[in-house]
Amino acid sequence: MPSSCKDIRAALADCLRSSDCVLIQRNQPSDCLRPPLLDTLPTQCQQLKRGYGECRRGMIDMRKRFRGNQPIAVSKELEGEKPGQLYAGSGFSRGGDVKATSGDEDAKAETVVGVDGERRVVR
């Protein structure tokens, strides 16, 4: 089996081993994955089963053949990384002189250099 689904398969096996369906009711793990007993599994095991099925389907999906399955990791924002830029322009905070205002300044004009290097008159 390709390595893209091994992690989620191992997590599903661990979840099944520690579930009440296997420990208390003494059913086979394969029986717990079928419809009459599937509803008795914890939500985490049901989600892992669904994710494992999607991973297996992704291995034969022609749209994902070249890129492969996405890793199992959670969202980048939850891991502490900042999300990427959503548009093609340069970021507003990457340079350029942005002056903070308190709202009680005089209404006289001043020259400001923008992000793109052009000088602008701001009132």
Side-chain angles (χ1 to χ4, degrees):
M1 174 187 317
S3 63
S4 64
C5 296
K6 283 184 180 177
D7 294 336
I8 196 165
R9 183 176 188 255
L12 177 60
D14 290 340
C15 186
L16 283 172
R17 276 190 226 117
S18 63
S19 69
D20 290 343
C21 183
V22 173
L23 290 178
I24 296 174
Q25 299 169 4
R26 297 289 186 193
N27 294 313
Q28 293 287 328
S30 59
D31 294 336
C32 294
L33 291 174
R34 294 197 179 93
L37 298 174
L38 182 62
D39 298 332
T40 63
L41 286 177
T43 307
Q44 181 184 8
C45 293
Q46 292 177 3
Q47 290 172 344
L48 285 169
K49 180 186 181 297
R50 186 175 302 121
Y52 181 63
E54 289 175 6
C55 181
R56 294 289 302 230
R57 266 183 247 112
M59 291 190 321
I60 60 171
D61 187 2
M62 293 309 247
R63 294 172 289 178
K64 296 180 182 179
R65 287 297 289 263
F66 292 110
R67 283 188 244 149
N69 284 320
Q70 295 294 324
I72 304 170
V74 293
S75 169
K76 289 183 180 179
E77 291 89 12
L78 296 176
E79 291 179 356
E81 296 179 20
K82 291 185 179 180
Q85 193 170 355
L86 297 178
Y87 57 93
S90 63
F92 184 72
S93 62
R94 287 191 196 165
D97 299 332
V98 178
K99 184 177 179 183
T101 60
S102 62
D104 58 348
E105 289 84 13
D106 293 336
K108 57 184 174 178
E110 60 183 274
T111 304
V112 178
V113 178
V115 176
D116 54 359
E118 288 189 29
R119 294 185 180 274
R120 295 186 177 96
V121 176
V122 180
R123 294 180 190 237

